[in-house]
Amino acid sequence: RRAGAIATILSDDGLLGRYFALGGSGRWEEGDAPPFVARIARDAAEAALDEVERTRRPAHQILPVPDGAWILVESLAPPTALLACGRGPDADALAAQAELLGWSVRQADPRTASLGALPTSGAQAAVVMTHPLDPDRSCLEALAGAPLEYLGIVGPRARTERLLAGLSIRAPVFAPVGLDIGAESPEEVALAICAEIQEVLTGRGGGSLRDRRS
């Protein structure tokens, strides 16, 4: 669940070396590149790691270097970490949709599990969908101080206001949850929620690609 970056040094003669950067540490593989090229590769990989940790968006670039060599720099973002609070058709559909996207998913039901064990550590997004008021409220109390980037709550706006009354929530709250795509079935609602989470975590504005000007 960590970001990483790889700088691969290539020439017409083949592979000259690779540098792996992961979570503040790095290591070389191969290693026949000239020292100054190796230094460029290391710096490029560590810069790419810093960028993907900041944006959570993978990227790649090709850097030409002297002596007919070039460096391919690739960064990999960790999977989105989602906590789904609830059980039932809609919560199960959300977990299934998120897993289909390759996300790291944890599902908990505060009606049957200890809230002290609610697995909030490392979660970027959480969705509260147990449906009864008391378990939803308990779940929100447990999530109040979590450094989430997205907190979704299933249900009408007036109900959400009741749930949040008196709570100091650290995360940005999205309620009613999901994008407005006409979702009705549990699977459609799951799609709408995952799309909104993706929109928020990547900082994109949603909408149709055909309306983009660049």
Side-chain angles (χ1 to χ4, degrees):
R1 298 181 181 177
R2 292 185 293 170
I6 306 171
T8 304
I9 309 170
L10 300 164
S11 74
D12 292 338
D13 296 326
L15 177 67
L16 297 181
R18 283 196 184 96
Y19 183 78
F20 296 85
L22 177 66
S25 63
R27 67 178 177 85
W28 275 104
E29 183 179 276
E30 304 292 338
D32 294 329
F36 77 96
V37 175
R39 185 169 59 251
I40 294 172
R42 182 197 63 205
D43 291 347
E46 292 177 352
L49 175 61
D50 289 343
E51 181 69 10
V52 75
E53 286 181 333
R54 183 180 65 82
T55 65
R56 291 195 175 89
R57 297 180 63 182
H60 68 274
Q61 61 176 323
I62 297 176
L63 303 175
V65 291
D67 298 330
W70 62 94
I71 302 171
L72 173 62
V73 185
E74 304 170 276
S75 60
L76 299 173
T80 297
L82 171 67
L83 172 61
C85 299
R87 289 284 178 179
D90 54 354
D92 293 347
L94 175 62
Q97 176 64 48
E99 288 174 351
L100 183 64
L101 294 171
W103 294 4
S104 173
V105 183
R106 287 172 290 181
Q107 192 172 359
D109 189 348
R111 294 172 296 183
T112 58
S114 169
L115 282 174
L118 198 64
T120 61
S121 177
Q124 296 167 259
V127 180
V128 176
M129 50 199 321
T130 69
H131 298 299
L133 279 171
D134 288 345
D136 271 7
R137 171 76 180 195
S138 297
C139 195
L140 288 169
E141 289 173 350
L143 293 170
L148 300 167
E149 298 175 57
Y150 176 101
L151 175 57
I153 304 172
V154 172
R157 186 172 286 106
R159 178 182 183 276
T160 298
E161 291 174 354
R162 290 176 58 194
L163 285 170
L164 295 177
L167 292 180
S168 179
I169 301 293
R170 179 177 176 181
V173 175
F174 293 81
V177 69
L179 296 183
D180 184 6
I181 58 172
E184 295 291 343
S185 70
E187 292 75 17
E188 292 169 345
V189 170
L191 175 63
I193 294 172
C194 286
E196 185 175 60
I197 294 171
Q198 177 75 7
E199 175 192 44
V200 170
L201 296 186
T202 59
R204 304 304 290 264
S208 298
L209 287 173
R210 71 171 188 174
D211 296 329
R212 287 186 60 182
R213 298 186 179 276
S214 61

